[in-house]
């Protein structure tokens, strides 16, 4: 039995090896399906959406819930969809499989997806021959199929039969090919409402009269047709291509500059007499970057008979001149046009878009003149010869001419609501006094049109709610520039050099009267402060304030006065911190409005211990911080750190600060203590030196002059008061007859400090005599006088100034230290009460000699 048991491990190993060699690779790869990959989940309108894009998946994840409504598996190397991959997801309504390198679709690839409404297979590697004839058959409810940017161009064929099963399809987006031709299979798409053909390849595309006719004939509901050629060339498009599209109401052709706008306008033949929602032909001129082209009435020969609400010919390098004016005025259904977009073309001095359009298109609501380039150097728009007589009569009062006149009237069409004239070339133009008449203008955008001055006034726009005036040069501001726009809700005034303009105190009146303003953008204006009355009329409705990119050091206005404030942008200023009062103001507003957001990113906030209170406030406050992940702060070494790292570990940071504080406090305290001790020792040791110099300074301040060699006294006698009797009766009596002797008892000035009297006596005497007795050695003033005398001798080079009279028998070693240091320089006299006969006379003779020399 043991013999057979020993063989079992070998058999197991053999079976594993054989299995690993014999199992097909596609089955082996499926073994890894149980390895779960994390996908993001979210609820959108109560439906579960799962996003597994960019997960490097080579299979459809099977561990996900079967209740998914939308599954996104984009940007994964799936390459193929095995049969029954979606059987678990029977409730799936949207499936996105774009850019997954899928090459084949089998008959059962989508089996079970009976509720699917949208399928996105764009940007894969599918061809008509690699899609099974019945691949889409299970998708009986599908309404949207996106299958563009595949490889149908390889054999110039669409998967007609496979698509023919999609009876309920409403929207189809499919490849544009060299010759677009939809076969008989597309005739089953009777519910199709929108068709898009597009390509992102540099291919040439041709559209014949028969290209889309099978679809147009099959579907009486095809309303919207779109051609998107992002990098290719629209070589040709026949004039009768839309003839069979009887329900078509929206047409958009985009050819990324590689086409001919005149050819596209010529293809409108089949739409004559129709009513259209829009005709959009942006970026279709292959002559872009060369000379502008002119559109004439002949080019509008088919367009003139179409009633369209929207006309878009932006970015076609069209020359807007008198010919273009004539073409516009040739339209028979001007009353139909509600929106005109002629942006990013080139205008000449002959063309006045405001006059031509407002005067003739009475129902115009939306006018887009974005980034209009001026041809030539003229700065005035003029009317043209193609204008009607009625228009000529209105020219003088309705022309919006940028000229030298300071008063301009603009007569708007009755229904105009939106004008975008941003990024127009208007350099060299000032804002004059402009009065708008009529209209319902709600949005006016003149941003970055580079007006050279704002020293004017705009009148008549009492219904305006949104004004774009960014990028002007407002070094000069009219005090009432905007004050009449009483309905204004959004004001964009960024990059305007307002700091210089506000220097004349016009900041006080800039927003005056704009009580309905809710959004204000003043970023990048070099502002350092705002006038205290800047927001005086905005307290009730202002919600968002954008002040980024200025030079504010703090919040430049009183936050609590606003009742609905929700957002303050102070990014990219020079703010280091917010004060305690500013923190409290923000907290109070947050309590009042329940929501306020602050953007402090791009400032040099301080994440130092000195700023700990502000960091703690940021961590605990209910105020929200926008871009907090991109908000940095700098530490004591000016090293940038992400502030979220500090806030997430604020307790540890606070402990570090506490430790650093006590370490610093201890170090400073010890340093102060040691320094104090050293200074105390030094002061004590050199106390006489210090006092000497202090007394000398005081003497100089009192304007004492040195006596040089003419001294008031011959000798100043320093003695103990206990030796007074001997000094006065013996010493003074023997010396006063020949010398002027200074004794403190009789010569010191009353009311003057003793220290000053002593230094005065030393300065005023040729010699200083110390009467050394036991009493003197015990006297503090005696020692003081010796120190002062030593300093005086050293300072003035009078080494022989000192005379020592020893009255008692005292050894040199018992002398004061200061006297011992001078002993080699002094004249020493010895007195004794028991002098030998004749010794007393000798003593007084020596004493007189020491005073004289």
């Amino acid at each position: 039995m043991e013999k057979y048991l020993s063989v079992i491990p070998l058999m197991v190993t053999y079976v594993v090896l054989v299995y690993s060699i014999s199992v097909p690779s596609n089955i082996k790869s499926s073994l890894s399906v149980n390895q779960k990959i994390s996908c993001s989940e979210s609820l959108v309108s109560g439906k579960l959406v799962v996003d597994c894009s960019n997960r490097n998946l080579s299979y459809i994840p099977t561990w996900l819930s079967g209740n998914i409504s939308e599954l996104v598996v984009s940007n994964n190397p799936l390459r193929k969809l095995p049969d029954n991959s979606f059987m678990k997801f029977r409730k799936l309504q949207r499936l996105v499989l774009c850019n997954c390198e899928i090459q084949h679709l089998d008959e059962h690839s989508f089996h079970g997806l009976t509720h699917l409404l949208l399928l996105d297979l764009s940007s894969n590697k599918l061809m008509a021959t690699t899609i099974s004839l019945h691949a889409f058959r299970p998708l009986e409810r599908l309404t949207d199929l996106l299958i563009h940017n595949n490889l149908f161009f390889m054999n110039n064929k669409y998967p007609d039969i496979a698509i023919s099963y999609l009876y309920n399809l409403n929207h189809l987006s499919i490849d544009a090919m060299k010759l677009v031709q939809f076969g008989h299979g597309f005739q089953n798409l009777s519910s199709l409402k929108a068709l898009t053909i597009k390509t992102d390849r540099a291919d040439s595309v041709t559209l014949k009269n028969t290209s889309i006719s099978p679809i147009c004939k099959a579907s009486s509901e095809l309303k919207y047709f779109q051609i998107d050629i992002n990098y290719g060339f629209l070589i040709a498009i026949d004039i009768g291509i839309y003839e069979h599209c009887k329900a078509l109401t929206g047409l958009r052709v985009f050819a990324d500059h590689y086409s001919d706008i005149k050819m596209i306008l010529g293809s409108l033949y089949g739409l004559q007499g129709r009513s259209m929602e829009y005709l959009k032909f942006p970026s279709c001129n292959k002559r872009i970057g060369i000379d502008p082209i002119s559109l004439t009435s002949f080019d509008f020969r088919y367009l003139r008979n179409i009633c369209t609400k929207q006309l878009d010919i932006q970015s076609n390098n069209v020359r807007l001149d008198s010919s273009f004016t004539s073409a516009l005025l040739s339209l028979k259904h001007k009353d139909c046009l509600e929106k005109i977009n002629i942006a990013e073309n080139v205008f000449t001095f002959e063309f006045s878009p405001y006059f031509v359009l407002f005067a003739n298109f009475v129902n115009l609501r939306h006018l887009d003149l974005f980034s209009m380039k001026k041809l030539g150097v003229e700065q005035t728009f003029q009317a043209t010869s193609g204008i009607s007589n009625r228009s000529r009569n209105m020219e003088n009062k309705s022309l919006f001419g940028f000229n030298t006149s300071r008063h301009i009237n603009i007569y708007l069409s009755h229904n105009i609501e939106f004008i975008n004239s941003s990024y127009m070339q208007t350099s060299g133009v000032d804002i004059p006094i402009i009065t708008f008449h009529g209209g319902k203008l709600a949005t006016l955008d003149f941003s970055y049109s580079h007006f050279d001055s704002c020293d004017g006034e705009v009148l008549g726009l009492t219904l305006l709610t949104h004004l774009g005036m960014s990028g002007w040069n407002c070094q000069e501001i009219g005090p009432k520039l905007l004050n009449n726009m009483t309905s204004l809700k959004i004001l964009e005034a960024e990059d305007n050099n307002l700091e210089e303009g506000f220097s004349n105190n016009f900041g006080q009146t800039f927003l005056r009267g704009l009580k309905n303003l809710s959004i204000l953008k003043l970023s990048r204006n070099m502002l350092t402060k705002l006038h205290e009355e800047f927001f005086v009329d905005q307290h009730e409705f202002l919600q968002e304030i954008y002040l980024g990119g200025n030079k504010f050091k703090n919040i430049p206005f009183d936050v609590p006065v606003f009742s609905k404030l929700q957002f303050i942008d102070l990014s990219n200023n020079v703010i280091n911190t917010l004060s305690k009062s500013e923190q409290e103001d923000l907290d109070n507003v947050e309590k009042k409005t329940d929501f306020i957001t602050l953007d402090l990113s791009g400032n040099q906030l301080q994440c130092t211990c000195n700023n700990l209170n502000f960091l703690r406030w940021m961590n605990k406050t209910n105020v929200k911080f926008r871009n907090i992940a991109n908000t940095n702060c700098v530490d004591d070494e000016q090293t940038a750190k992400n502030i979220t790292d500090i806030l997430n570990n604020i307790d540890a940071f606070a402990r570090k600060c506490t430790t650093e504080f006590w370490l610093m406090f201890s170090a400073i305290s010890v340093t102060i203590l040691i320094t104090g001790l050293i200074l105390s020792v030094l002061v004590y040791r050199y106390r006489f030196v210090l006092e000497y110099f202090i007394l000398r300074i005081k003497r100089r301040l009192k304007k004492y002059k040195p006596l040089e060699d003419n001294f008031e006294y011959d000798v100043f006698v320093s003695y103990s008061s206990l030796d007074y009797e001997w000094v006065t009766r013996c010493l003074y009596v023997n010396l006063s007859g020949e010398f002027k002797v200074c004794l403190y008892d009789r010569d010191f000035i009353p009311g003057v400090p003793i220290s000053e009297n002593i230094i005065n006596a030393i300065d005023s005497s040729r010699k200083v005599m110390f009467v050394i007795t036991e009493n003197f050695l015990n006297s503090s003033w005696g020692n003081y006088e010796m120190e002062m005398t030593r300093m005086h001798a050293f300072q003035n080079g009078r080494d022989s100034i000192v005379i020592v009279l020893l009255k008692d028998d005292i050894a040199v070693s018992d002398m004061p230290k200061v006297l011992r240091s001078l002993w080699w320089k002094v004249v020493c006299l010895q007195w004794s009460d028991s002098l030998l006969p004749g010794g007393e006379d000798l003593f007084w003779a020596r004493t007189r000699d020491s005073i004289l020399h």
Side-chain angles (χ1 to χ4, degrees):
M1 184 66 177
E2 293 178 0
K3 174 182 177 181
Y4 292 107
L5 288 176
S6 64
V7 178
I8 290 177
L10 293 175
M11 294 178 64
V12 171
T13 303
Y14 174 77
V15 170
V16 171
L17 287 173
V18 170
Y19 180 79
S20 63
I21 295 173
S22 60
V23 173
S25 60
N26 62 330
I27 297 178
K28 283 193 294 181
S29 64
S30 66
L31 295 175
S32 63
V33 171
N34 292 326
Q35 181 182 357
K36 295 183 178 181
I37 302 295
S38 176
C39 299
S40 63
E41 297 184 1
S42 60
L43 282 176
V44 179
S45 300
K47 296 181 179 180
L48 182 59
V49 177
V50 177
D51 187 350
C52 295
S53 57
N54 297 294
R55 298 299 199 280
N56 199 31
L57 292 170
S58 59
Y59 49 84
I60 300 298
T62 58
W63 60 85
L64 300 173
S65 169
N67 294 321
I68 296 175
S69 294
E70 179 175 346
L71 176 61
V72 181
V73 200
S74 301
N75 303 309
N76 287 293
L78 296 179
R79 296 183 178 85
K80 186 178 180 181
L81 298 177
D83 290 350
N84 304 316
S85 295
F86 301 98
M87 284 295 294
K88 181 180 180 180
F89 309 112
R90 293 184 176 273
K91 295 183 180 181
L92 200 63
Q93 294 181 338
R94 299 171 63 90
L95 176 60
V96 180
L97 298 168
C98 61
N99 197 26
C100 289
E101 303 179 25
I102 299 173
Q103 302 175 12
H104 300 276
L105 293 179
D106 295 329
E107 183 176 355
H108 299 291
S109 293
F110 301 111
H111 193 61
L113 296 178
T114 55
H115 289 81
L116 195 67
L117 300 177
L118 180 143
L119 175 61
D120 187 350
L121 289 168
S122 60
S123 302
N124 282 290
K125 298 180 179 180
L126 295 169
M127 295 190 295
T129 55
T130 62
I131 298 178
S132 171
L133 299 179
H134 302 287
F136 298 136
R137 191 167 189 173
L139 309 178
E140 55 189 38
R141 297 189 183 182
L142 195 70
T143 59
D144 294 84
L145 175 62
L146 311 179
I147 199 170
H148 53 270
N149 288 334
N150 278 281
L151 303 180
F152 300 128
F153 70 94
M154 296 290 289
N155 52 13
N156 207 53
K157 181 178 176 59
Y158 293 124
D160 290 29
I161 297 177
I163 290 179
S164 67
Y165 288 99
L166 302 176
Y167 304 107
N168 293 307
L169 199 63
N170 294 154
H171 175 215
L172 172 63
S173 180
I174 200 165
D175 277 8
M177 299 187 297
K178 184 175 183 180
L179 176 60
V180 176
Q181 187 65 55
F182 292 102
H184 294 292
F186 288 88
Q187 293 180 356
N188 290 344
L189 305 183
S190 58
S191 299
L192 198 65
K193 296 179 181 178
L195 172 63
T196 301
I197 58 173
K198 64 185 302 182
T199 180
D200 291 335
R201 297 181 304 275
D203 294 337
S204 60
V205 177
T206 299
L207 287 163
K208 296 290 187 180
N209 288 338
T210 58
S211 293
I212 61 173
S213 57
I215 296 179
C216 290
K217 291 177 180 179
S219 176
S220 59
E221 300 185 30
L222 184 63
K223 293 183 177 181
Y224 307 106
F225 181 44
Q226 181 168 316
I227 304 171
D228 279 342
I229 303 174
N230 291 314
Y231 298 104
F233 302 81
L234 183 57
I235 299 298
I237 179 169
D238 285 352
I239 65 172
I241 186 173
Y242 311 116
E243 185 175 0
H244 298 289
C245 302
K246 303 299 183 182
L248 198 64
T249 61
L251 173 64
R252 183 181 187 273
V253 181
F254 173 83
D256 194 27
H257 309 304
Y258 297 108
S259 185
D260 187 342
I261 184 64
K262 294 189 176 186
M263 177 187 70
I264 293 171
L265 290 172
S267 69
L268 302 180
Y269 171 79
L271 298 178
Q272 292 184 95
R274 303 273 191 92
S275 293
M276 304 289 292
E277 291 184 24
Y278 60 81
L279 292 173
K280 298 181 179 181
F281 312 122
S283 304
C284 291
N285 181 24
K286 66 183 178 183
R287 298 181 180 86
I288 196 74
I290 313 177
D291 292 337
I293 64 169
S294 292
L295 293 180
T296 66
S297 299
F298 177 78
D299 298 315
F300 277 28
R301 62 191 181 281
Y302 303 133
L303 178 61
R304 72 167 60 115
N305 297 316
I306 301 173
C307 174
T308 181
K309 293 182 178 180
Q310 297 184 37
L311 177 61
D312 182 351
I313 57 169
Q314 69 168 320
S315 304
N316 280 296
N317 202 27
V318 172
R319 180 189 178 104
L320 306 180
D321 53 12
S322 57
S323 296
F324 183 74
T325 299
S326 299
L328 277 177
L329 296 177
S330 71
L331 298 178
K332 294 181 180 179
H333 302 284
K334 300 182 187 67
D335 293 352
C336 295
L337 270 165
E338 298 178 2
K339 182 175 182 180
I340 296 178
N341 187 348
I342 53 176
E344 297 185 276
N345 287 296
V346 180
F347 67 86
T348 70
F349 70 97
E350 302 171 340
F351 178 66
S352 175
Y354 302 97
F355 170 61
V356 172
L357 296 171
F358 295 150
N360 295 279
F361 297 84
V362 295
N363 289 318
L364 189 63
R365 298 178 183 273
H366 185 120
L367 176 60
D368 202 329
L369 303 171
F370 168 82
S371 193
M372 291 262 287
K373 297 177 177 62
K374 182 170 56 177
L375 188 66
V377 297
E378 297 82 0
Q379 296 177 357
T380 305
F381 295 126
Q382 301 289 343
T384 67
S385 58
I387 301 177
S388 64
N389 290 332
R390 171 178 172 271
S391 299
R392 285 179 182 275
N393 294 332
M394 296 177 61
E395 178 179 349
N396 292 330
K397 65 179 181 179
S398 64
L399 175 64
F400 186 7
F402 293 131
N403 53 31
T404 57
S405 173
R406 292 296 296 170
H407 294 80
I408 294 178
N409 293 307
I410 302 177
Y411 293 85
L412 301 172
S413 57
H414 179 69
N415 293 301
I416 192 71
E417 298 175 353
F418 176 96
I419 299 176
N420 181 5
S421 291
S422 59
Y423 291 92
M424 287 186 68
Q425 290 186 354
T426 53
S427 57
V429 177
D430 295 341
I431 295 293
I433 298 176
I434 304 175
T435 302
F436 288 84
H437 300 273
K440 304 174 182 177
L441 195 60
T443 299
L444 176 62
D445 191 354
F446 261 108
S447 298
Y448 300 98
S449 291
H450 303 293
F451 294 103
D452 286 355
S453 171
C454 304
D455 187 15
E457 186 174 0
V458 181
L459 304 172
L461 295 180
T462 56
L463 300 179
L464 195 72
T465 59
H466 185 174
L467 174 65
M469 56 171 288
S470 297
W472 295 5
N473 187 350
C474 290
Q475 292 183 358
E476 298 180 17
I477 301 178
K480 297 181 180 180
L481 178 67
L482 310 175
N483 296 166
N484 294 284
M485 303 178 188
T486 53
S487 298
L488 201 64
K489 294 182 179 179
I490 302 173
L491 174 59
E492 299 178 7
E494 302 175 319
D495 300 304
N496 266 343
N497 201 11
L498 289 177
E499 174 68 11
E500 189 165 346
F502 286 168
S503 62
N504 294 324
N505 279 335
F506 288 144
Q508 180 180 0
T509 61
F510 186 66
L511 301 179
R512 192 61 54 83
L514 309 184
K515 296 184 178 181
N516 293 296
L517 199 65
S518 60
I519 298 176
L520 175 64
K521 297 186 177 182
L522 295 176
S523 300
R524 301 178 300 279
N525 274 296
M526 306 299 288
L527 296 170
T528 57
K529 60 181 179 180
L530 294 176
H531 194 279
E532 59 183 7
E533 296 183 8
F534 188 77
F535 289 116
V536 70
D537 286 338
Q538 285 72 49
H539 296 167
E540 186 175 355
F541 292 108
L542 196 61
Q543 298 179 18
E544 300 178 14
I545 303 175
Y546 295 81
L547 297 171
N550 286 293
K551 295 183 178 181
F552 295 117
K553 296 181 179 180
N554 47 33
I555 301 177
F557 54 87
D558 192 7
V559 175
V561 300
F562 298 97
S563 57
K564 294 184 179 180
L565 191 60
Q566 295 183 352
F567 177 64
I568 306 173
D569 176 17
L570 286 169
S571 60
N572 299 298
N573 279 275
V574 288
I575 298 173
N576 294 327
T577 186
L578 294 183
S579 66
K580 183 67 174 178
S581 61
E582 289 174 321
Q583 298 170 25
E584 293 174 351
D585 288 344
L586 288 167
D587 285 333
N588 291 334
V589 171
E590 190 279 330
K591 292 176 182 178
K592 181 168 59 176
T593 63
D594 292 328
F595 181 83
I596 188 169
T597 301
L598 182 65
D599 191 343
L600 292 174
S601 60
N603 286 284
Q604 288 293 313
L605 299 177
Q606 300 291 317
C607 45
T608 62
C609 294
N610 291 336
N611 208 23
L612 179 59
N613 289 335
F614 170 67
L615 297 173
R616 280 176 166 165
W617 172 79
M618 286 189 70
N619 190 60
K620 70 179 182 179
T621 183
N622 290 326
V623 175
K624 308 299 180 185
F625 293 96
R626 182 177 291 184
N627 292 325
I628 188 67
N630 298 318
T631 303
N632 293 330
C633 60
V634 293
D635 59 16
D636 289 319
E637 298 178 353
Q638 297 301 304
T639 301
K641 296 183 178 180
N642 191 286
I643 202 166
T644 54
D645 296 336
I646 303 295
L647 299 181
N648 291 336
N649 299 280
I650 191 66
D651 292 336
F653 182 78
R655 287 195 297 271
K656 178 183 176 183
C657 288
T658 302
T659 303
E660 290 180 356
F661 169 78
W662 284 111
L663 285 173
M664 184 177 296
F665 177 79
S666 301
I668 293 174
S669 300
V670 170
T671 302
I672 292 173
L673 179 61
I674 294 174
T675 304
L677 290 173
I678 293 173
L679 289 175
S680 299
V681 171
L682 292 174
V683 169
Y684 178 77
R685 181 173 182 179
Y686 297 102
R687 62 192 182 280
F688 297 112
V689 176
L690 291 173
E691 186 162 356
Y692 174 80
F693 281 106
I694 291 172
L695 291 172
R696 299 295 297 180
I697 292 170
K698 290 174 70 175
R699 282 174 59 81
R700 288 181 182 177
L701 292 176
K702 293 180 179 180
K703 299 183 179 180
Y704 283 105
K705 294 182 179 180
L707 295 176
E708 297 179 353
D709 293 335
N710 299 318
F711 295 100
E712 183 178 354
Y713 300 102
D714 292 307
V715 63
F716 164 56
V717 181
S718 175
Y719 57 93
S720 170
S721 60
L722 299 177
D723 299 319
Y724 172 77
E725 185 174 352
W726 182 85
V727 170
T728 55
R729 293 184 179 182
C730 183
L731 179 65
Y732 181 76
V733 169
N734 283 281
L735 296 179
S736 60
E738 186 177 350
F739 300 105
K740 294 186 69 175
V741 181
C742 178
L743 300 179
Y744 68 81
D745 293 286
R746 56 187 299 278
D747 295 309
F748 277 14
I749 301 172
V752 176
I754 295 178
S755 58
E756 289 191 33
N757 273 310
I758 291 173
I759 198 68
N760 290 337
I762 294 172
D763 276 353
S764 303
S765 303
R766 180 180 290 105
K767 298 286 184 175
V768 177
M769 178 183 291
F770 295 102
V771 180
I772 306 301
T773 64
E774 293 291 344
N775 296 326
F776 184 88
L777 296 180
N778 294 325
S779 170
S780 59
W781 282 111
N783 195 53
Y784 177 82
E785 289 168 347
M786 283 190 286
E787 288 285 356
M788 293 296 103
T789 302
R790 182 172 70 89
M791 287 301 303
H792 177 80
F794 173 77
Q795 183 72 14
N796 294 279
R798 300 174 63 193
D799 293 340
S800 60
I801 192 176
V802 179
I803 301 173
V804 174
L805 191 157
L806 294 175
K807 185 176 180 294
D808 294 339
D809 188 14
I810 302 173
V812 175
S813 59
D814 295 332
M815 298 281 184
K817 182 177 180 181
V818 62
L819 189 56
R820 293 201 308 270
S821 66
L822 295 172
W823 194 255
W824 62 279
K825 300 177 183 179
V826 305
V827 176
C828 186
L829 303 172
Q830 181 73 44
W831 169 266
S832 176
D833 292 333
S834 57
L835 288 173
L836 296 174
E840 185 174 342
D841 293 335
L842 181 62
F843 171 80
W844 294 117
R846 289 186 61 196
T847 302
R848 294 185 185 94
D849 186 63
S850 63
I851 295 173
L852 291 173
H853 298 91

